[in-house]
Amino acid sequence: MSRHDNTAPGRLRRAAFFVLPVLAFGLGSLLSTFYYWNHVREMKLDPLRRENDQLNQKIQNLQRQQSKTEAVFPYASIMEENFGASVKMPDKQLKTHLNSIIIRNREVHAPTRDELLKSLYGIGPQAVSFYDGFAFPYDQAVRYPTSKYVSNFVRDHQNVFDLIESLMLPKEDDIRFIVEAGSFVGSSANVWVKFARRHNATLLCIDTWEGDVNMWVLPQFKQPMSITYGRGHLYDNFIQNIIDGNSTDVVLPMAVSSLVGAKILWAQKFSPDVVYIDTAHEQGETLGELFAYWEILRPGGVLIGDDYDYFPAVKHDVDEFVAYKNLHLSFTKSGKTFAIKKPRSNS
Ligand SMILES: *[C@@H]1O[C@H](CO)[C@@H](O)[C@H](O)[C@H]1NC(C)=O
Ligand SMILES: *[C@@H]1O[C@H](CO)[C@@H](O)[C@H](O)[C@H]1NC(C)=O
């Protein structure tokens, strides 16, 4: 065998021995140049993009944190935005009114009865009694006295009043203005009057008096509803029961939905010391009402609701509300009625 292998495979091997390292070196240089060029562009030539990337990273982290809260309380965060926040969102014409001198100079406060008469119904203090001249329409409706409707609240009321007084501080927490949302025929309103009198407070009852789902559907509500021409007569029974209960000096009615009522009070800068929510007890509706009335409740005030133990929708919404807002829930001894005290510092 000679020193030089002149066969074809031999020549190929010799060529490869020289060419492959050159190819490898060339490829390596190309790759490192490419990498360096990219790196330089990234680090030096494009600082704006780097800042942008960092900002985007921050935003992504924030979004991740936020969606964590929303994942725990998806329902509450939507309700807070739609009911709580909406209470403080006047439309254009209302905004103009709020900027008028009379409202702008008014502090948020608990209104007196005379103020309510004037600003809600345009009635002066010298006017005849609010209830004078009322006549029950016996030709259209069945008379339904409060004795026919003894609610859980009526049974539990002494415990409720004790609980409120234990949550309010005697010197700091005057009770001048109580709002009941959901009054039906006035059984609980007539009971609240005892408490209101003790504190010289006014009780404003907010209800459409048009009934909820049960009242339109269940046979036991046929009488108090007395629907004629597609409309019920709960309001007439309520007014007659307030008159018969000797409660006309304490109780005033406002025939609107709970949400509209909360917005009206906010727009008038009227803030209740105690709110009692006894509306439809429907899931979602109760949560919306909790957010709406929490907005207008005075710091240091108390929000009350009944049937916590009896209506699963109430328990569901109240539990979600206090968990979301990180609040303390109190109960009467019976566990029927719940209470939440609004912290003095903003919450
Ligand atoms: C309520 O008013 C009466 C009469 O003005 C007054 O004597 C009483 O102290 C008041 N009570 C409270 C709790 O403010
Ligand atoms: C209302 O007052 C009248 C007259 O004083 C009295 O006869 C009646 O028993 C009172 N009703 C209630 C429910 O207190």
Side-chain angles (χ1 to χ4, degrees), residues 78-194:
I78 292 167
M79 286 292 157
E80 179 170 41
E81 201 172 314
N82 283 291
F83 288 86
S86 78
V87 167
K88 301 192 289 188
M89 224 177 270
D91 62 27
K92 222 166 147 188
Q93 47 187 346
L94 182 56
K95 217 177 254 171
T96 310
H97 173 73
L98 295 179
N99 279 328
S100 69
I101 301 283
I102 183 162
I103 301 291
R104 222 177 44 218
N105 290 346
R106 194 182 277 176
E107 296 280 326
V108 176
H109 67 291
T112 62
R113 180 184 172 85
D114 284 351
E115 269 182 289
L116 289 171
L117 284 170
K118 185 158 186 288
S119 48
L120 296 184
Y121 327 110
I123 297 175
Q126 310 309 327
V128 291
S129 160
F130 180 85
Y131 294 83
D132 277 3
F134 174 80
F136 188 86
Y138 285 97
D139 55 330
Q140 289 183 53
V142 177
R143 180 73 186 97
Y144 200 82
T146 53
S147 56
K148 284 201 178 177
Y149 187 73
V150 182
S151 65
N152 280 334
F153 174 83
V154 171
R155 284 189 203 99
D156 204 25
H157 73 271
Q158 200 45 60
N159 291 327
V160 179
F161 300 157
D162 289 348
L163 177 62
I164 297 171
E165 279 167 355
S166 77
L167 290 170
M168 307 288 266
L169 306 174
K171 285 264 159 55
E172 292 171 62
D173 289 330
D174 278 351
I175 301 169
R176 294 278 179 251
F177 184 40
I178 304 166
V179 170
E180 175 182 78
S183 291
F184 191 45
V185 295
S187 302
S188 52
N190 273 340
V191 170
W192 271 108
V193 165
K194 296 185 202 174

Side-chain angles (χ1 to χ4, degrees), residues 174 176 197-200:
D174 278 351
R176 294 278 179 251
R197 284 221 170 92
R198 211 146 76 203
H199 293 272
N200 293 340

Side-chain angles (χ1 to χ4, degrees), residues 243-246:
I243 293 169
D244 292 352
N246 300 332

Side-chain angles (χ1 to χ4, degrees), residues 201-244:
T202 298
L203 174 67
L204 181 70
C205 293
I206 297 175
D207 198 314
T208 61
W209 285 285
E210 301 289 2
D212 66 0
V213 179
N214 287 344
M215 289 165 199
W216 277 80
V217 170
L218 302 182
Q220 65 264 38
F221 293 112
K222 279 247 164 353
Q223 276 195 6
M225 283 295 283
S226 296
I227 294 168
T228 57
Y229 305 108
R231 194 167 176 276
H233 287 87
L234 290 178
Y235 184 76
D236 299 294
N237 273 304
F238 171 84
I239 296 291
Q240 194 60 59
N241 287 334
I242 295 304
I243 293 169
D244 292 352

Side-chain angles (χ1 to χ4, degrees), residues 255-301:
V256 294
S257 74
S258 56
L259 186 57
V260 170
K263 289 182 184 193
I264 291 170
L265 294 179
W266 175 80
Q268 299 281 10
K269 296 196 176 171
F270 293 160
S271 182
D273 305 303
V274 173
V275 168
Y276 171 54
I277 295 183
D278 186 16
T279 46
H281 296 355
E282 298 281 349
Q283 189 170 316
E285 219 171 307
T286 300
L287 188 56
E289 287 161 344
L290 289 168
F291 277 114
Y293 281 89
W294 194 252
E295 279 300 333
I296 61 165
L297 180 65
R298 162 170 78 72

